Amino acid sequence: MGRKMDKHMKNEIIMRLLKAVSVIGNTALFMLYFYFSSPTLRQIDKHLIPYILFTLIFFVILIWLVRVYNSFEIGGRKIYELIYSLTLSSAIASGIMYVVQAAFLHKIPNLLILLGAFAAEFICNIIWVLLAHKIYFKLYKAKKTVVIYRSGADLQKLSEIGSLSNKFEVVKYIENPEEIHSLIEEIGECEAVFIAGVSATLRNGIIKYCVEKNIPAYIEPKIGDILMSGAKHMQMFSVPILRVRHSVPDPFYLFVKRALDIIFSLIGIIVTSPVMLVMAVAIKAYDGGPVFYRQTRLTKDGKEFQLIKFRTMRVDAEKDGIARLASENDDRILPVMRAARKLRFDEFGNFFCILSGAMTIVGPRPERPEIAKQYGETLPAFALRLQVKAGLTGYAQIYGKYNTEPYDKLQMDLMYINDMSLSCDIGLMFATVKILFMPESTEGIKEGQITAKKENIEAPKELAAVSEEK
């Protein structure tokens, strides 16, 4: 055990040094840009303080963005995702500092130098990611992994483990185990365990065993687990107590959040007005129908409001009177708005709802009453999302997909509700920028579905086959 820990510590130090090289390298490129783009500051001996200050600000912003975009998740993400995340982090940090620099110098710095620095950062990031990826998998071999699940639907939720075969080598699938003792024997000397859908008692026994044996355990949580994660530790009696209650945000936080909503919605309306004008003309020219689409949605405490979006579908999209989500290759979507929908530009109309106070920038997605009712029939806890005001972006919108199961969306929304804070909101706002150019985030539901709820899910054939061989 001690030798394993020493090796793990050594590997961690190597990876941390690699990450430091990336941050320092990007900061060095910014310093060069700042030097060549600011003639008045080239005499560093006379302007040392602003030079150091600007560098430190860039350094701090870059580290924060790298964390927001998970840019250093080597082994857990595809190479192109890492390059995209790291480049986006350095690009946004450089862009912010470009604005700060312009304000400091009272003039617009040379944009070509900034673009040159960005190109250099992009090339360096590609080289770094390829090198770090190669080193990571030399240091860390694929862990022999056991997947424990209750049913095919639970196994389906873990199907993405197949895309991480370099990190997890699944050696055994265990379906619907009954008791802990025989299960421990089957787990044996594995190096990682994934758990989905098993009973709480059995799951807790597996977790205790994994902690004792220093085996990483990855668990698909239940609603109760998410609610408990936001519990407050209290020492009221001679035993530990956890308090779980309805969301009660701090009044100061709500005041600042509302102020930011007003400021950012006004900025959003002004900045996106040219795009909104183009979309309005395109929609009107295509079929002569209304530019905006108004629809009843739910917000805090189940209150209804009229959501405003740019119309992306035919006027008679729901002529049968049935509320349904968009499906893959949906022929109801207007050809002139298909690209705008993928980039979520149709959501720009939401800025007016935020300005009015019906919505907020960060919060659970506003759901239609009809669809929420359908979800609530089989998932009563779905109403827990309505503890806070509905938002333009949020945890579920960023890390889930348009067609993500309602149960999983609810869990993500509850994670946000448990962790509501200004830093969390700002982080999610920046994280939203990343998904704008990721088409899978707007992937529609399957043909024939009405909502995102999937019925009769079966395990993938290749996984089921492995499971039967156990």
Side-chain angles (χ1 to χ4, degrees), residues 290-360:
V291 170
F292 291 108
Y293 177 60
R294 299 176 187 273
Q295 192 177 69
T296 301
R297 296 291 180 102
L298 299 177
T299 187
K300 188 176 184 295
D301 298 326
K303 183 180 178 180
E304 295 184 354
F305 73 100
Q306 290 296 304
L307 182 77
I308 302 173
K309 297 175 67 173
F310 280 87
R311 184 168 60 89
T312 60
M313 291 191 174
R314 301 193 312 258
V315 176
D316 61 348
E318 292 181 353
K319 58 185 177 181
D320 57 1
I322 300 176
R324 50 166 57 83
L325 299 180
S327 62
E328 296 175 0
N329 305 314
D330 200 317
D331 61 3
R332 297 176 300 161
I333 299 176
L334 303 180
V336 295
M337 288 296 288
R338 195 171 290 276
R341 184 183 178 92
K342 282 187 175 294
L343 292 173
R344 306 193 187 203
F345 286 178
D346 59 317
E347 306 278 359
F348 288 165
N350 292 175
F351 286 133
F352 298 101
C353 298
I354 295 171
L355 187 61
S356 70
M359 288 176 62
T360 182

Side-chain angles (χ1 to χ4, degrees), residues 138-366:
K138 272 190 170 293
L139 297 176
Y140 298 97
K141 304 302 179 184
K143 291 183 171 67
K144 295 189 181 302
T145 303
V146 173
V147 176
I148 305 170
Y149 65 99
R150 184 188 60 180
S151 64
D154 298 311
L155 184 59
Q156 174 71 22
K157 291 183 177 181
L158 301 178
S159 62
E160 290 179 278
I161 194 173
S163 64
L164 298 174
S165 56
N166 286 340
K167 190 168 185 176
F168 300 106
E169 179 192 352
V170 180
V171 295
K172 188 179 295 185
Y173 289 90
I174 303 175
E175 182 180 4
N176 198 22
E178 295 181 357
E179 55 93 21
I180 188 67
H181 298 294
S182 59
L183 186 59
I184 287 175
E185 292 179 7
E186 290 204 65
I187 292 175
E189 296 298 319
C190 74
E191 299 169 302
V193 173
F194 280 79
I195 310 167
V198 301
S199 68
T201 301
L202 187 58
R203 184 193 61 180
N204 291 344
I206 299 170
I207 293 171
K208 290 174 185 175
Y209 174 79
C210 289
V211 171
E212 180 185 349
K213 298 298 182 181
N214 193 29
I215 301 172
Y218 302 84
I219 303 134
E220 186 262 324
K222 300 298 181 185
I223 298 296
D225 300 323
I226 305 296
L227 294 174
M228 288 291 288
S229 69
K232 182 178 180 180
H233 296 211
M234 304 190 74
Q235 204 63 47
M236 297 174 62
F237 311 117
S238 56
V239 295
I241 297 290
L242 296 176
R243 185 190 69 190
V244 180
R245 66 174 183 176
H246 188 281
S247 176
V248 185
D250 182 76
F252 176 74
Y253 162 70
L254 292 178
F255 173 79
V256 177
K257 185 179 177 72
R258 180 59 189 145
L260 290 176
D261 284 344
I262 294 172
I263 293 170
F264 283 111
S265 60
L266 283 172
I267 293 173
I269 291 170
I270 294 169
V271 172
T272 63
S273 57
V275 180
M276 289 196 280
L277 179 61
V278 171
M279 289 193 293
V281 171
I283 294 169
K284 206 69 177 175
Y286 182 77
D287 63 6
V291 170
F292 291 108
Y293 177 60
R294 299 176 187 273
Q295 192 177 69
T296 301
R297 296 291 180 102
L298 299 177
T299 187
K300 188 176 184 295
D301 298 326
K303 183 180 178 180
E304 295 184 354
F305 73 100
Q306 290 296 304
L307 182 77
I308 302 173
K309 297 175 67 173
F310 280 87
R311 184 168 60 89
T312 60
M313 291 191 174
R314 301 193 312 258
V315 176
D316 61 348
E318 292 181 353
K319 58 185 177 181
D320 57 1
I322 300 176
R324 50 166 57 83
L325 299 180
S327 62
E328 296 175 0
N329 305 314
D330 200 317
D331 61 3
R332 297 176 300 161
I333 299 176
L334 303 180
V336 295
M337 288 296 288
R338 195 171 290 276
R341 184 183 178 92
K342 282 187 175 294
L343 292 173
R344 306 193 187 203
F345 286 178
D346 59 317
E347 306 278 359
F348 288 165
N350 292 175
F351 286 133
F352 298 101
C353 298
I354 295 171
L355 187 61
S356 70
M359 288 176 62
T360 182
I361 292 178
V362 182
R365 181 179 182 272

Side-chain angles (χ1 to χ4, degrees), residues 33 54 93-109 114:
Y33 152 75
F54 272 63
S94 298
I96 291 173
M97 294 311 300
Y98 180 81
V99 174
V100 174
Q101 182 186 12
F104 180 79
L105 298 174
H106 303 292
K107 67 176 183 179
I108 304 298
L114 177 66

Side-chain angles (χ1 to χ4, degrees), residues 64-82:
W64 181 74
L65 287 169
V66 161
R67 292 174 64 88
V68 168
Y69 295 134
N70 298 315
S71 306
F72 286 156
E73 270 196 29
I74 308 294
R77 293 183 179 273
K78 296 181 176 66
I79 289 177
Y80 79 87
E81 290 179 322
L82 292 170

Side-chain angles (χ1 to χ4, degrees), residues 4 11 21 32 56 58 62 102 139 144 210 214 248 266 293 296 356 391 400 404 411 414 440 445 461:
K4 282 186 178 180
N11 292 345
V21 167
L32 287 173
L56 286 175
F58 175 86
L62 180 62
L139 297 176
K144 295 189 181 302
C210 289
N214 193 29
V248 185
L266 283 172
Y293 177 60
T296 301
S356 70
T404 296
Q411 289 185 313
L414 291 176
E440 60 268 26
I445 60 176
K461 292 181 180 179

